[in-house]
Amino acid sequence: MNQLARELNAQLEGTVIARLLSGYGLRSYFPKGIVAQSAEAKQRADRYNATVGMAYSGGEPVMLPAVRELLPHFTPSEAVAYSPTPGNPKLRDLWASEIAAKNPSLGQASHSRPVVTAGLTNGIFQLAELFVDPGDSVVMPDLFWGNYRLILEGRNEARLTTFEFFTAGGEFNVAGLAEMLERHRENGKIVLLVNFPNNPAGYAPTRSDADRLVEALRAEAEAGTDLLVICDDAYFGLFYEDDTFTESLFARLAGAHERILVAKVDGATKEDYLWGMRVGFITIAARGLEPRHYEAFEKKLTGSIRASVSNSNTLGQNLLIRLLEHPEYRRQKEIQREEMLARFRAMRQAIASMPGDTPLRALPCNAGYFVSFDCRKLDAEQLRLTLLDRGIGTISIQNRYLRVAFASVDRDEIEPLFGEIFDTARELAEA
Ligand SMILES: Cc1ncc(COP(=O)(O)O)c(C=O)c1O
């Protein structure tokens, strides 16, 4: 094993991070190669800096005149230069402040400095690399974003282990989760992946769900299991009901237990309507971890980023900095949130007037972009294809659920859209 990896492992010894790392996670390190030497030169080479693989002219990265013309508000460094592998330092600190402001329950709990990833997908990918070994169980509710399978099962050879999302009463199934944790604690380790607001279920925990969830995880940790809880907070902020827990579970778990390592994966993708900019973040926390532990983990994560995407989109990062500092940012975001809420309400109203004899059953929905229907005896894929023949695009999942992104259609289209879905489902059920 590389000496630098050994040193990082020694720095992490005795912590939940060390106990949870995968084989690759143990081997990972950030070399003192080109990137580190260039960073040193940036500080000290005040005569000539001939380190980095970028073309410079007059001390600025070269930017073709046409690009300059297209991006008049950004300097060459902000637009076309490489960013540091763990991300723009200013953005990392701004995002840490955003996390603190949006999650008051975090209080004084220690956590790492957010590291920039190439979107949330890449954040999940990096965590899977660092913490999941072939054969490991990764526990999650049975409705989940399909890309988890592609990453965790396809690349990391994990076993996805699911429990029913909802109880018969429509609450988050904490008992099902607790049972699954108990059954799948292998070698004292469990990885749990939660995504609230959920894709495809459009659900975020109520305050009492969140309390029960935290208690179940704490009980599992008390029983001696080391847990990595990955919180995919892609749709954070889109909460529509009064009793919803409007913070990330990360905030509640950060100081919960020495055996609970929580990793928040979030970003500008959906929160700031910057889908294609590819700016995500990873922030981790566990009770008792100290700055030196977070720094050692950051080096391992930085090594993994360097080995995969090298670094993340500079223009996207600088655009996000400018956006977060823009005087109109919060107001504009609130206006858009109001619009999403109006679409949610229109969807709710459409479902309330769903015909009594419909084969569809709407799953609980209080947040995010989506609502899903259990198609029961109907084949969801057949329903999707029939809708497609009528010019309506939806997503079928496991041949059982139909996912409808109410966030992606205009408000006045919601009533006719759902009306057609209900009519088509009834016709198919009667055929
Ligand atoms: C639950 C969830 N996580 C992550 C993502 C992807 O985020 P990004 O585009 O930043 O990779 C999506 C996108 O659909 C998602 O639904």
Side-chain angles (χ1 to χ4, degrees):
M1 190 181 294
N2 181 283
Q3 180 56 24
L4 292 172
R6 258 188 243 279
E7 284 167 25
L8 295 176
N9 294 342
Q11 229 169 303
L12 289 166
E13 202 174 306
T15 66
V16 64
I17 302 178
R19 294 193 297 274
L20 286 168
L21 283 173
S22 64
Y24 171 70
L26 287 169
R27 293 194 306 278
S28 182
Y29 64 96
F30 189 57
K32 292 198 170 99
I34 295 168
V35 174
Q37 291 176 34
S38 300
E40 244 172 65
K42 211 169 174 185
Q43 305 277 322
R44 297 182 44 208
D46 50 12
R47 297 185 61 221
Y48 309 109
N49 186 354
T51 53
V52 84
M54 285 194 291
Y56 271 76
S57 183
E60 287 261 41
V62 168
M63 200 173 177
L64 293 181
V67 180
R68 246 177 223 278
E69 198 184 300
L70 290 164
L71 295 169
H73 300 293
F74 292 90
T75 65
S77 293
E78 291 171 326
V80 297
Y82 282 131
S83 288
T85 304
N88 180 311
K90 181 172 177 184
L91 178 61
R92 296 176 62 193
D93 291 338
L94 275 175
W95 197 257
S97 310
E98 288 288 316
I99 290 178
K102 292 168 185 166
N103 295 278
S105 304
L106 196 52
Q108 296 307 309
S110 76
H111 59 82
S112 67
R113 194 178 178 206
V115 165
V116 177
T117 57
L120 281 88
T121 307
N122 184 241
I124 293 160
F125 168 91
Q126 301 299 349
L127 292 170
E129 290 287 290
L130 292 169
F131 291 108
V132 178
D133 276 316
D136 280 358
S137 287
V138 180
V139 177
M140 62 187 75
D142 60 358
L143 288 158
F144 58 85
W145 185 42
N147 212 1
Y148 296 159
R149 190 183 291 287
L150 208 60
I151 298 171
L152 292 158
E153 215 176 64
R155 298 191 59 100
N156 302 95
E157 298 179 60
R159 284 185 291 128
L160 299 201
T161 309
T162 61
F163 58 95
E164 266 186 65
F165 202 123
F166 298 110
T167 63
E171 290 177 321
F172 185 72
N173 183 11
V174 178
L177 163 66
E179 192 198 320
M180 213 35 101
L181 295 178
E182 202 175 313
R183 263 207 267 153
H184 289 274
R185 49 168 94 117
E186 286 144 13
N187 313 318
K189 165 180 176 177
I190 283 197
V191 179
L192 170 70
L193 205 173
V194 286
N195 162 227
F196 300 125
N198 186 262
N199 172 9
Y203 191 78
T206 60
R207 278 190 287 275
S208 86
D209 283 344
D211 288 344
R212 289 181 306 120
L213 224 159
V214 172
E215 271 326 299
L217 297 179
R218 203 180 270 138
E220 186 61 34
E222 273 301 304
T225 309
D226 290 311
L227 291 125
L228 170 66
V229 182
I230 301 175
C231 300
D232 177 342
D233 290 343
Y235 300 89
F236 185 86
L238 295 172
F239 304 112
Y240 309 125
E241 304 266 40
D242 290 339
D243 63 347
T244 308
F245 178 61
T246 55
E247 297 181 40
S248 168
L249 272 183
F250 174 81
R252 295 287 305 275
L253 293 173
H257 201 283
E258 282 84 356
R259 287 190 182 278
I260 301 178
L261 177 65
V262 60
K264 180 173 175 35
V265 182
D266 59 10
T269 303
K270 322 266 175 179
E271 277 196 58
D272 293 308
Y273 307 94
L274 288 170
W275 303 276
M277 283 293 158
R278 314 312 300 144
V279 184
F281 299 87
I282 291 177
T283 313
I284 64 158
R287 186 164 163 171
L289 290 185
E290 295 170 15
R292 66 196 164 100
H293 300 130
Y294 292 125
E295 280 156 26
F297 173 74
E298 182 179 316
K299 290 215 176 83
K300 284 187 176 284
L301 175 55
T302 305
S304 181
I305 292 171
R306 176 72 175 151
S308 49
V309 293
S310 191
N311 50 67
S312 304
N313 184 324
T314 294
L315 184 57
Q317 292 184 57
N318 283 300
L319 186 67
L320 184 56
I321 290 175
R322 297 279 190 90
L323 177 65
L324 294 173
E325 292 181 335
H326 198 287
E328 284 292 297
Y329 168 58
R330 286 172 213 286
R331 197 182 70 84
Q332 290 179 4
K333 202 166 151 178
E334 184 48 30
I335 291 172
Q336 187 53 40
R337 202 194 73 84
E338 291 286 333
E339 173 58 29
M340 302 303 246
L341 176 62
R343 292 180 195 187
F344 169 79
R345 289 190 174 140
M347 174 276 288
R348 266 293 178 75
Q349 209 169 343
I351 288 179
S353 50
M354 192 157 65
D357 55 352
T358 179
L360 302 179
R361 186 174 64 87
L363 299 183
C365 176
N366 59 5
Y369 276 27
F370 310 103
V371 63
S372 284
F373 295 91
D374 184 345
C375 298
R376 297 193 273 193
K377 292 197 178 108
L378 213 61
D379 182 320
E381 175 63 3
Q382 193 194 357
L383 175 57
R384 181 187 77 84
L385 290 172
T386 311
L387 285 166
L388 205 52
D389 287 340
R390 299 178 181 188
I392 297 171
T394 56
I395 299 287
S396 75
I397 298 168
Q398 303 161 20
N399 276 348
R400 178 171 168 188
Y401 301 101
L402 190 79
R403 187 192 80 174
V404 185
F406 61 83
S408 73
V409 290
D410 287 336
R411 208 188 309 182
D412 58 354
E413 294 171 343
I414 286 184
E415 194 197 329
L417 164 67
F418 281 89
E420 285 226 34
I421 292 173
F422 302 150
D423 288 347
T424 309
R426 197 170 40 181
E427 281 168 35
L428 281 180
E430 283 166 2

